[in-house]
Amino acid sequence: MEHIVSLKDIVVNFDGEQILNHINLDIKDKEFVTLLGPSGCGKTTTLRIIGGFLEPDSGVITFEGKKINGLPAYKRNVNTVFQRYALFPHLNVYENIAFGLHVKKLPEREIRKRVGEMLDLVNLRGYEKRNISRLSGGQQQRVAIARALVNRPKVLLLDEPLGALDLKLRKEMQIELKRIQQSLEITFIYVTHDQEEALTMSDTVVVMNQGNIQQIGTPVDIYNEPENAFVADFIGESNIIPGIMLKDCLVEISGREFVCVDKGFGNNTPVDVVIRPEDITLVPTEDAKLSGVVTSVTFKGVHYEMVVEAYDYQWLIQSTRSAELGSAVGISFGPDDIHIMHKMKG
Amino acid sequence: MKQKLLAAPYLVWMAVFVIVPLIMVAYFAFFDSDGNFTLQYVADVAQYSNIFVRSVWLAALATVICLVLSYPLAYILAKMDTKVQSTMLMIVILPMWMNFLLRTYAWMTLLGNEGIINTLLGYIGLGPFKMLNTQGAVVLGMVYDYIPYMILPLYTVMTKIDKSVLEAANDLGCNSFKTLIKVVLPLSLPGIMSGITMVFVPAISTFIISRMLGGGSNLLIGDLIEMQFLGNSYNPNLGASISLVLMVIILLIMTLMNQFDVDDDRVLM
Ligand SMILES: Nc1ncnc2c1ncn2[C@@H]1O[C@H](COP(=O)(O)OP(=O)(O)O)[C@@H](O)[C@H]1O
Ligand SMILES: [Mg+2]
């Protein structure tokens, strides 16, 4: 399979500090790829390298198999939706969207046609003459998307495009963006720090932390099979408990032995054990190997979130049924629910 | 109520130092020494139309030169590292700390027939060239004295332009030059307008620069007005009339300019 964009061993330093640490990333054509990670982990920097706004200190970037290091942004077949939209304040909605086509000196009729298509796509018909400052955040957002897409780029880069919108609008725009990406069949490289957003929209999620790629995979893979404790912790809530891998398929947690499905960690190896809060069921104390005391109960709408203190560890548990505060409960989970990770460095 | 109270000293100040003098100028322009209304003085201004034309022309020329020189400088300045920016800006403003007269005198000693430039040119067998007491010298003086007033507003407006907007232009196919034309220029229009105003108005009414660098032959409106009050041709009524006409000319030109400004504000806002 041909990759449309590839980053090979990309290194970026700012003021002697390593911001991107040997990044390797292959992006398939027509894919919705999300770079996910906490603020400051290097997502924007990665995007700027692809867009042509930043040259890596070392490493190769290819586009459709051709090396494009040093190629200025205006010559790349890539367009960007900037973090704070960066619309032209001196131009109206129509002129903003038409900007790239005017620069390419397309015939006026063609420009009108294509801008019209874009206005339909982002639901902004009738707003052509509107000044940018008189648009809501969501509308500005859609102008920014139309302004980039009208150029029919092979790849669209989006830097936290929904970050400034309120929750309801964000949900709507997530669906909208996914629909646009699928109908136009172009590659989206999407940056966000919101794990839910990443899981909802993406074909592939790239989890980053401190300039390193932690894991690349489908949303389901990333959620169900996190490769390390960072990913497990960042993607959804998790219980991360220190444990000892006694041998293949047998792990010790808080002094008790549990059967699991993981292999290949060697014998008597310290590991991190990850268990999702929704995978745990509360049972009578006599039916469980681990038991503790309920220290908090919070109603979350669909489910209850409870904290159970057992053997110096606070277990987070989600269940549709609540337990009584202060009561003693047993903690139960199956072999499939146990995820073993190598111990995090540091 | 409190607001009004706070504004009171300024209102008094405005009345005493702006409104009253304006009324006095108008009075002198339209009433003769016996207190009779007359349009004679205003009509007399027409005979100096050549001086008006020269003043407008030289001031406009100096303003355009200031703009052409300042624009790239301000653009480069705004793009520099923030630390370098303040140092560079300091260098630009530094001459303003020196006395205006002194700076203009300096040009006299540079440009004169026995001045420094002609002396140096003499060593390599050139000249002497007549530089002092020419219109060129007057324009040079205006440009030199007023250029910081062009650079500062341009620089200010350019530092306010969001860098990501320039990157967006780049992203959409503009190289640096096209970005300058299609984005930086329209976004810096307010700075251009205030720069033009701040250079043109003092340049058109100057009398020191034309006196010192233009000799007697390149009189400007400012010289003409001064002569009516302090010179041999003492005639305050005519002087007031000339001042009034000059004010009207400046007002007209500024209104014309603001027309542009307002138009672009509509687009800018
Ligand atoms: N131009 C720059 N100069 C110095 N440091 C920078 C610059 N741009 C980004 N950084 C640093 O690089 C790191 C990664 O930044 P960024 O890629 O913007 O992170 P993210 O988009 O994931 O929040 C941050 O620590 C940030 O402070
Ligand atoms: Mg960022």
Side-chain angles (χ1 to χ4, degrees):
Chain A
M1 173 106 197
E2 182 64 33
H3 295 123
I4 185 145
V5 174
S6 288
L7 301 178
K8 295 196 184 78
D9 216 22
I10 298 288
V11 174
V12 171
N13 297 299
F14 282 132
D15 311 324
E17 202 185 329
Q18 193 150 72
I19 302 300
L20 292 184
N21 182 11
H22 302 280
I23 293 286
N24 285 289
L25 180 61
D26 292 318
I27 291 164
K28 291 195 213 100
D29 199 10
K30 302 185 177 47
E31 205 181 18
F32 196 122
V33 180
T34 300
L35 306 182
L36 173 67
S39 176
C41 73
K43 305 180 297 289
T44 298
T45 307
T46 309
L47 215 59
R48 289 171 63 79
I49 286 173
I50 301 171
F53 302 108
L54 181 72
E55 277 300 309
D57 292 322
S58 70
V60 175
I61 166 166
T62 63
F63 186 83
E64 295 184 312
K66 283 193 277 294
K67 184 175 167 181
I68 54 165
N69 288 56
L71 194 70
Y74 65 91
K75 288 186 180 163
R76 294 190 185 191
N77 200 354
V78 166
N79 285 110
T80 308
V81 177
F82 290 86
Q83 197 153 6
R84 279 171 297 113
Y85 317 144
L87 298 175
F88 302 119
H90 60 300
L91 302 177
N92 63 25
V93 169
Y94 180 93
E95 292 161 336
N96 259 279
I97 299 176
F99 189 90
L101 304 180
H102 276 134
V103 171
K104 291 187 192 76
K105 299 213 161 62
L106 258 58
E108 204 60 43
R109 269 193 49 205
E110 169 83 4
I111 294 179
R112 221 171 309 128
K113 183 170 143 281
R114 275 167 71 169
V115 173
E117 287 168 12
M118 279 304 134
L119 287 165
D120 287 337
L121 187 76
V122 298
N123 281 324
L124 280 177
R125 269 282 181 214
Y127 287 86
E128 290 88 338
K129 296 261 159 59
R130 206 52 98 78
N131 275 320
I132 293 306
S133 60
R134 292 200 291 121
L135 296 179
S136 70
Q139 289 167 338
Q140 291 191 14
Q141 163 67 75
R142 282 182 278 165
V143 174
I145 291 165
R147 183 182 69 173
L149 283 176
V150 78
N151 303 287
R152 299 184 180 158
K154 288 250 172 73
V155 174
L156 186 69
L157 309 176
L158 304 103
D159 193 353
E160 311 218 11
L162 309 182
L165 307 183
D166 61 53
L167 187 66
K168 188 165 170 294
L169 195 56
R170 198 155 71 218
K171 297 273 182 217
E172 283 170 20
M173 284 301 298
Q174 285 174 8
I175 296 164
E176 194 79 340
L177 276 175
K178 185 71 189 172
R179 176 183 69 78
I180 290 171
Q181 189 259 336
Q182 283 169 340
S183 68
L184 297 183
E185 296 197 306
I186 56 176
T187 311
F188 272 36
I189 306 178
Y190 191 98
V191 162
T192 183
H193 64 264
D194 180 341
Q195 47 101 7
E196 198 188 325
E197 189 166 291
L199 297 182
T200 325
M201 303 172 79
S202 324
D203 300 318
T204 302
V205 178
V206 180
V207 185
M208 294 179 68
N209 189 33
Q210 296 182 342
N212 292 293
I213 291 182
Q214 302 291 328
Q215 186 170 0
I216 303 177
T218 65
V220 175
D221 281 350
I222 298 267
Y223 191 84
N224 287 340
E225 311 292 337
E227 251 167 45
N228 56 41
F230 173 81
V231 177
D233 192 35
F234 195 73
I235 309 288
E237 284 160 313
S238 274
N239 293 292
I240 302 174
I241 312 121
I244 296 166
M245 200 68 184
L246 298 172
K247 58 179 191 193
D248 280 356
C249 298
L250 192 66
V251 64
E252 184 191 298
I253 306 167
S254 299
R256 281 150 183 81
E257 290 179 8
F258 291 86
V259 176
C260 61
V261 295
D262 300 76
K263 293 174 188 161
F265 286 83
N267 294 343
N268 297 316
T269 319
V271 291
D272 281 322
V273 180
V274 172
I275 302 171
R276 295 283 182 199
E278 69 270 23
D279 290 340
I280 299 172
T281 37
L282 294 181
V283 295
T285 47
E286 57 273 21
D287 296 346
K289 289 184 180 170
L290 289 169
S291 54
V293 176
V294 180
T295 57
S296 109
V297 179
T298 320
F299 182 56
K300 290 280 183 177
V302 186
H303 61 263
Y304 291 90
E305 199 165 274
M306 288 155 288
V307 177
V308 174
E309 192 167 329
Y311 306 96
D312 294 334
Y313 187 77
Q314 314 262 337
W315 291 75
L316 189 69
I317 293 155
Q318 289 170 354
S319 165
T320 47
R321 279 189 297 162
S322 76
E324 203 170 323
L325 200 62
S327 63
V329 291
I331 297 167
S332 169
F333 39 82
D336 281 353
D337 302 325
I338 300 173
H339 307 284
I340 308 293
M341 334 246 122
H342 290 288
K343 270 241 174 274
M344 262 201 287
K345 280 166 251 150
Chain B
M1 192 60 220
K2 204 172 170 196
Q3 293 249 314
K4 272 188 192 159
L5 229 64
L6 282 173
Y10 299 100
L11 290 177
V12 171
W13 191 89
M14 292 267 280
V16 173
F17 292 103
V18 180
I19 310 287
V20 172
L22 268 178
I23 292 172
M24 282 169 69
V25 169
Y27 178 83
F28 274 102
F30 289 111
F31 292 89
D32 63 20
S33 44
D34 303 326
N36 300 317
F37 179 80
T38 171
L39 289 174
Q40 190 54 48
Y41 300 119
V42 180
D44 283 348
V45 175
Q47 66 193 91
Y48 300 106
S49 55
N50 61 329
I51 296 182
F52 272 88
V53 171
R54 183 192 297 137
S55 295
V56 172
W57 161 240
L58 293 185
L61 190 62
T63 309
V64 170
I65 293 172
C66 280
L67 180 61
V68 170
L69 291 178
S70 305
Y71 201 86
L73 177 70
Y75 185 55
I76 295 165
L77 212 59
K79 273 190 147 187
M80 279 180 180
D81 212 3
T82 349
K83 287 169 221 142
V84 190
Q85 264 183 40
S86 43
T87 317
M88 290 295 290
L89 206 61
M90 191 71 168
I91 294 171
V92 168
I93 300 174
L94 207 61
M96 291 171 79
W97 294 359
M98 223 188 320
N99 182 279
F100 179 85
L101 275 175
L102 210 65
R103 276 183 286 154
T104 314
Y105 264 120
W107 277 111
M108 287 178 79
T109 61
L110 280 169
L111 298 178
N113 279 347
E114 267 106 56
I116 293 169
I117 294 175
N118 271 325
T119 311
L120 286 177
L121 285 175
Y123 289 139
I124 54 169
L126 293 172
F129 296 102
K130 179 177 163 54
M131 290 183 286
L132 198 59
N133 303 338
T134 60
Q135 291 194 356
V138 175
V139 173
L140 176 76
M142 288 175 175
V143 170
Y144 181 74
D145 282 328
Y146 301 128
I147 200 164
Y149 301 104
M150 183 66 88
I151 295 172
L152 287 178
L154 285 177
Y155 165 79
T156 309
V157 78
M158 281 186 195
T159 50
K160 284 204 198 112
I161 297 176
D162 188 353
K163 293 251 187 325
S164 66
V165 169
L166 305 184
E167 283 189 349
N170 211 220
D171 187 70
L172 295 166
C174 288
N175 55 23
S176 321
F177 181 70
K178 276 190 192 158
T179 306
L180 180 68
I181 300 299
K182 292 185 88 89
V183 180
V184 180
L185 204 60
L187 287 182
S188 58
L189 257 178
I192 296 177
M193 291 304 160
S194 57
I196 288 177
T197 311
M198 286 169 74
V199 172
F200 183 77
V201 173
I204 198 175
S205 48
T206 183
F207 61 98
I208 295 286
I209 295 174
S210 50
R211 167 97 52 80
M212 288 166 71
L213 301 177
S217 54
N218 291 301
L219 282 184
L220 298 185
I221 305 173
D223 304 293
L224 197 60
I225 295 170
E226 194 219 9
M227 276 157 51
Q228 309 312 315
F229 290 96
L230 301 172
N232 308 331
S233 51
Y234 181 76
N235 187 346
N237 297 89
L238 182 60
S241 298
I242 300 170
S243 304
L244 217 57
V245 172
L246 176 61
M247 255 162 61
V248 171
I249 289 176
I250 293 175
L251 216 64
L252 280 177
I253 293 175
M254 286 309 129
T255 316
L256 212 73
M257 298 286 297
N258 277 333
Q259 213 58 46
F260 279 112
D261 211 10
V262 168
D263 271 2
D264 283 293
D265 259 355
R266 182 186 54 77
V267 186
L268 276 172
M269 294 323 277

